[in-house]
Amino acid sequence: MAIYVNLDLMLEKRQMKSNELAEKIGITTANLSILKTGKAKAVRFSTLEAICRELDCQPGDILEYREEDL
Amino acid sequence: MKQPVLLKTILDICFILLALTFFSAVIIFIITISHGESFYPITVNGNILTEITPSTVILISAELVIGGLILYTVYIMRKLIRNFLKGKLYTSFQIATLNLVGKLIITITLAKGFIEFLEKILFESKVGVDLGMELSFGSFWFILAIGLFFIYLSKIFQNAKVLKEENELTV
């Protein structure tokens, strides 16, 4: 998929751990891991909103589009 | 969820009765072939057979093969219902089985139609194709439609599987 999730980078910048974020935004660590590893097929606006709120960032800081060779 | 249990019971009864009929027919056929004409006359699909000829042997064998296929279809339908009862839906097994059931129903219906056509030629010396619609669920066209319905259902299950996976991977 050409959409990349830079959640690891943002967590590192904010010096926050995955389980801590998962707890704050109210999702399971397993689901957060799916998002971090790029396995997720879709992200709910409510989840994105919660992540942005907790990490004090914009959706564009987490999601990135990179063109892929066909 | 009472319907699947009832369906399972009906299919179990069908399977047992079909298995008894099928294996009895196979045994009678083998005895008839090995003991010559002492068991004659026998009736197959309303046609009275009084002698062994290669064509009658081929026709009865074909009928038995179709009987075996019907038995196999009911057997895999039983497995499918048991799989449904486990609670997991839209699995690869269910998709493949629905598709197989549909294909088997179509194959059996077409083969039965062909055998009936041959029987008319051999026993009644008539050539004819009956494409009419009967006022029953046993009609050729209706059973063919049921077969296609199962194949279509497997495609729906395939789509549902993709949607389910997407839903599970939505964070």
Side-chain angles (χ1 to χ4, degrees), chain A residues 31 40-44 47, chain B residues 165-171:
Chain A
N31 270 348
K41 297 262 184 192
V43 186
R44 287 188 191 93
T47 310
Chain B
E165 278 169 2
E166 273 188 12
N167 189 46
E168 280 168 359
L169 289 173
T170 297
V171 181

Side-chain angles (χ1 to χ4, degrees), chain A residues 7-57:
Chain A
L7 198 59
D8 267 338
L9 205 70
M10 284 308 296
L11 282 169
E12 210 178 297
K13 276 185 188 173
R14 301 289 185 259
Q15 292 181 328
M16 194 186 282
K17 286 188 176 168
S18 293
N19 52 357
E20 195 184 332
L21 178 67
E23 201 178 311
K24 279 181 175 174
I25 63 175
I27 65 169
T28 61
T29 46
N31 270 348
L32 192 67
S33 172
I34 288 171
L35 185 62
K36 269 170 59 186
T37 50
K39 285 178 188 165
K41 297 262 184 192
V43 186
R44 287 188 191 93
F45 276 169
S46 56
T47 310
L48 196 58
E49 185 190 327
I51 293 171
C52 289
R53 187 183 61 238
E54 292 305 324
L55 295 177
D56 189 25
C57 64

Side-chain angles (χ1 to χ4, degrees), chain B:
Chain B
M1 289 286 275
K2 272 193 174 178
Q3 287 88 345
V5 177
L6 182 65
L7 184 59
K8 181 183 149 291
T9 312
I10 291 171
L11 281 173
D12 284 348
I13 294 166
C14 281
F15 181 74
I16 293 164
L17 294 176
L18 273 171
L20 284 173
T21 312
F22 175 71
F23 290 114
S24 309
V26 169
I27 291 165
I28 290 168
F29 180 61
I30 292 167
I31 292 170
T32 311
I33 294 289
S34 57
H35 286 74
E37 294 179 5
S38 54
F39 274 80
Y40 276 77
I42 58 169
T43 308
V44 177
N45 281 355
N47 300 302
I48 299 161
L49 306 179
T50 50
E51 58 178 348
I52 299 172
T53 60
S55 55
T56 53
V57 171
I58 290 168
L59 272 179
I60 296 170
S61 305
E63 288 275 3
L64 288 176
V65 169
I66 288 174
L69 284 175
I70 293 170
L71 188 65
Y72 180 61
T73 308
V74 176
Y75 171 71
I76 56 171
M77 280 176 84
R78 282 174 73 220
K79 278 182 83 173
L80 182 65
I81 296 302
R82 277 174 166 71
N83 196 276
F84 280 144
L85 286 171
K86 281 181 188 168
K88 269 195 168 183
L89 281 177
Y90 318 120
T91 61
S92 299
F93 171 79
Q94 290 166 1
I95 292 163
T97 310
L98 280 169
N99 195 34
L100 182 61
V101 169
K103 282 177 182 167
L104 278 169
I105 290 174
I106 291 170
T107 308
I108 290 163
T109 313
L110 292 176
K112 260 199 164 304
F114 183 66
I115 286 175
E116 276 172 26
F117 173 74
L118 287 181
E119 277 176 356
K120 270 188 184 167
I121 294 175
L122 285 169
F123 302 125
E124 297 170 32
S125 302
K126 276 198 304 193
V127 179
V129 180
D130 184 13
L131 296 175
M133 184 82 192
E134 298 158 31
L135 269 176
S136 77
F137 288 128
S139 155
F140 172 83
W141 295 110
F142 187 74
I143 300 171
L144 212 58
I146 295 281
L148 288 169
F149 179 78
F150 269 95
I151 292 173
Y152 187 58
L153 199 61
S154 87
K155 299 243 185 302
I156 292 170
F157 264 58
Q158 179 77 57
N159 279 353
K161 186 181 177 241
V162 173
L163 289 173
K164 190 184 164 211
E165 278 169 2
E166 273 188 12
N167 189 46
E168 280 168 359
L169 289 173
T170 297
V171 181

